[in-house]
Amino acid sequence: MSQVGRAMWIIDRISELTRAYRLGMRFRGVAMEPQVIIKTPSRLHCGKEAVVQRGAILHCGGRAWSNGQGHIIIGNGVVIGPYCILYGAGGITLGDYVHLGPGVQLMSQAGEHSPSRLSARPDYRLAPILIGSGSWIGAGAVILGGATLGACVTVAPNSVVSGIVPDFAVVVGNPGRVALINQSI
């Protein structure tokens, strides 16, 4: 690990333990409720007036198992509902005014199906998640790595979404399917 990498690792650990990152968030107008857990806060970028509600976990990557990759970028006016889980080792970008309902999971990494599962360092598949501005993700929905959702997409509660979803689509089910494209918004 380089000197700079080691220094960032130390700063992140101190920030996680002391929750010092909350002060910086407050200056940017980000409302972060108690019981929010942020791992590797140096890889988190929040826009203005974002809200992160209680019990949310934001793991921004940057760990050895992900080769130091990952980030979470949150646009202006984003609402991350209670008990959401965002695993950002593959990268997560939320456009402006995205709303994540309670218990939504964004999983930009997954275990790879390989013989290395029988080792201390299994292989991971890392793929970014992009969610366009104005999209609403219903309670309990799961968005998988490699998913790209356009602007103003609505995902029904408990749906599982992967792949590319066009602007103004309504996605339902497991696996998630486009049920409607409504451009009258």
Side-chain angles (χ1 to χ4, degrees):
M1 183 182 290
S2 73
Q3 292 287 66
V4 172
R6 179 104 178 116
M8 286 307 298
W9 183 86
I10 291 169
I11 290 168
D12 276 333
R13 297 299 92 56
I14 292 169
S15 184
E16 288 172 17
L17 291 171
T18 63
R19 297 186 176 216
Y21 56 82
R22 290 177 179 275
L23 186 59
M25 298 289 179
R26 184 168 295 206
F27 284 128
R28 281 182 258 146
V30 176
M32 189 172 299
E33 292 186 5
Q35 302 169 342
V36 170
I37 296 172
I38 298 179
K39 296 292 186 180
T40 322
S42 66
R43 294 177 170 271
L44 174 64
H45 305 281
C46 279
K48 296 177 183 175
E49 299 177 2
V51 175
V52 184
Q53 295 179 344
R54 72 186 174 283
I57 299 172
L58 284 69
H59 194 303
C60 305
R63 303 298 172 114
W65 59 266
S66 65
N67 296 322
Q69 297 180 42
H71 64 270
I72 297 176
I73 299 171
I74 298 172
N76 297 322
V78 169
V79 176
I80 298 175
Y83 305 105
C84 287
I85 300 173
L86 284 69
Y87 280 120
I92 296 173
T93 302
L94 305 177
D96 294 341
Y97 308 106
V98 167
H99 185 105
L100 304 180
V104 168
Q105 297 180 43
L106 306 182
M107 312 298 286
S108 69
Q109 72 254 12
E112 194 72 70
H113 185 71
S114 73
S116 73
R117 282 190 181 179
L118 298 173
S119 74
R121 279 192 63 123
D123 293 329
Y124 289 93
R125 179 180 164 271
L126 305 175
I129 295 173
L130 304 170
I131 300 180
S133 295
S135 293
W136 284 49
I137 314 300
V142 177
I143 312 296
L144 300 174
T148 299
L149 283 63
C152 298
V153 168
T154 300
V155 175
N158 298 315
S159 295
V160 177
V161 181
S162 63
I164 298 171
V165 178
D167 295 347
F168 303 102
V170 176
V171 180
V172 297
N174 179 6
R177 294 173 304 282
V178 174
L180 172 71
I181 298 178
N182 182 3
Q183 294 186 354
S184 65
I185 294 176

